[in-house]
Amino acid sequence: MTNVNTPKFKLNDGTEIPAIGFGTYLIPNDGTTYRAVSDALSVGYRHLDTAAVYMNEAEVGQAVRESGIPRDQIWVTSKLWLQDYGYEAAKKGIDRSLQVMGLNYLDLYLLHQPYGDVVGAWKALEEAKKAGKIRSIGVSNMTPKYWQEYIPQFETTPSVDQVQFNPYFQQKDLRKLLAADDVKLEAWAPLGQGNQDLFAEPIIQDLAKKYQKDAGQVILRFENQEGIIVFPKSVHPARIKSNLDIFDFKLTDSEMAQIRALDTGKGTYDPDAPGNEEMLLSAYDVHADD
């Protein structure tokens, strides 16, 4: 088993989160998630990201428990789904995640979407943190609009906001707001969901040749140097391994500036768009098997 000491970022609550993790979105719960997470842990990942709505929490938890790695060396994140928002429902949702994963605590737990009774759900997360069920708490898909609406209503400030981020969508306005409270941005789809236009950008290709890396490694390194927490996803062992191999080179200031210039200011998902809450609630039922 590889022992990779990946760099960490310190969160505003004092905990230290591995700067790179392994994402599990859209990996099926038919044994594929268990195998992919086990592969990731074996090559040195110590940060895993799942969610109730991914329907694969159980396999992530199983891989953690059976890895032979001490629990306190693996950072595990999950997320509360919209169905379980509101104070009482969120308390049950947190306990359900822990039970499904077979873990005594989670390192990070997020509100997955900024709709519905966000304030009530957040209160449940705050209590779970005080009770030792969760080490750090945060939010996801919070745009500047929602951040300014909800954060003043929270007793404690989130430690992270997990949003879409890649060189084409660098979340500049949001990052200014987060910086004021030392909140870390976590990137979902840090490789642009495999956007071939992004991979083919001349600056990305030139840097890949210069540093003898692939385009994905250059993109992830850029994001890491920007202070962004990333968790690329793959089910292919070679790709899982290569995505972690980004710490043996460093982009120069001018190279960073050239990649920053790729920003279009737009993503593929807009949390501010009307109708999202209804669409998401009708698309996913995390209690279908209850």
Side-chain angles (χ1 to χ4, degrees), residues 80-97 109 117 120-121 124-125 287:
L80 186 74
W81 189 236
L82 276 171
Q83 269 172 289
D84 293 328
Y85 278 26
Y87 175 65
E88 293 296 339
K91 287 202 291 187
K92 290 179 189 159
I94 294 162
D95 287 342
R96 185 174 181 269
S97 282
Y109 204 67
D117 186 1
L125 264 63
H287 298 306

Side-chain angles (χ1 to χ4, degrees), residues 186-207:
E186 287 192 319
W188 61 256
L191 295 172
Q193 292 163 315
N195 184 330
Q196 291 310 302
D197 290 342
L198 175 59
F199 280 59
E201 284 286 349
I203 181 60
I204 304 287
Q205 287 295 319
D206 289 349
L207 293 173

Side-chain angles (χ1 to χ4, degrees), residues 2-215:
T2 311
N3 181 21
V4 177
N5 289 317
T6 54
K8 295 181 176 178
F9 291 130
K10 185 168 265 194
L11 299 180
N12 60 12
D13 61 6
T15 57
E16 290 193 331
I17 185 171
I20 186 168
F22 181 72
T24 63
Y25 176 56
L26 293 182
I27 304 183
N29 62 344
D30 58 2
T32 309
T33 296
Y34 174 80
R35 285 191 299 276
V37 171
S38 297
D39 285 343
L41 289 170
S42 73
V43 298
Y45 286 86
R46 293 296 180 267
H47 174 176
L48 307 169
D49 183 90
T50 183
V53 79
Y54 298 174
M55 308 293 188
N56 58 18
E57 282 179 314
E59 291 193 20
V60 173
Q62 182 190 0
V64 170
R65 296 193 315 271
E66 296 179 3
S67 66
I69 300 164
R71 172 68 186 91
D72 63 3
Q73 291 180 24
I74 305 174
W75 181 283
V76 183
T77 298
S78 193
K79 311 178 194 79
L80 186 74
W81 189 236
L82 276 171
Q83 269 172 289
D84 293 328
Y85 278 26
Y87 175 65
E88 293 296 339
K91 287 202 291 187
K92 290 179 189 159
I94 294 162
D95 287 342
R96 185 174 181 269
S97 282
L98 288 166
Q99 183 182 355
V100 166
M101 298 185 82
L103 301 175
N104 294 325
Y105 69 92
L106 290 167
D107 296 275
L108 178 63
Y109 204 67
L110 308 178
L111 297 184
H112 205 153
Q113 298 285 347
Y115 314 119
D117 186 1
V118 169
V119 176
W122 184 254
K123 188 181 172 201
L125 264 63
E126 290 175 325
E127 282 190 9
K129 182 180 177 184
K130 284 177 188 153
K133 294 178 181 181
I134 307 168
R135 292 179 65 213
S136 295
I137 54 177
V139 295
S140 182
N141 294 304
M142 267 208 187
T143 59
K145 170 189 150 186
Y146 285 114
W147 187 267
Q148 289 166 317
E149 177 182 346
Y150 286 121
I151 303 313
Q153 301 181 61
F154 291 174
E155 190 180 315
T156 53
T157 305
S159 291
V160 306
D161 187 5
Q162 185 181 122
V163 295
Q164 188 175 31
F165 183 98
N166 63 72
Y168 280 166
F169 186 34
Q170 295 177 36
Q171 296 276 10
K172 286 176 180 169
D173 292 340
L174 178 64
R175 284 161 73 193
K176 283 179 197 154
L177 283 176
L178 300 186
D181 290 312
D182 190 24
V183 179
K184 286 282 179 278
L185 189 146
E186 287 192 319
W188 61 256
L191 295 172
Q193 292 163 315
N195 184 330
Q196 291 310 302
D197 290 342
L198 175 59
F199 280 59
E201 284 286 349
I203 181 60
I204 304 287
Q205 287 295 319
D206 289 349
L207 293 173
K209 288 191 192 81
K210 174 182 172 180
Y211 291 109
Q212 297 184 299
K213 293 288 178 180
D214 62 39

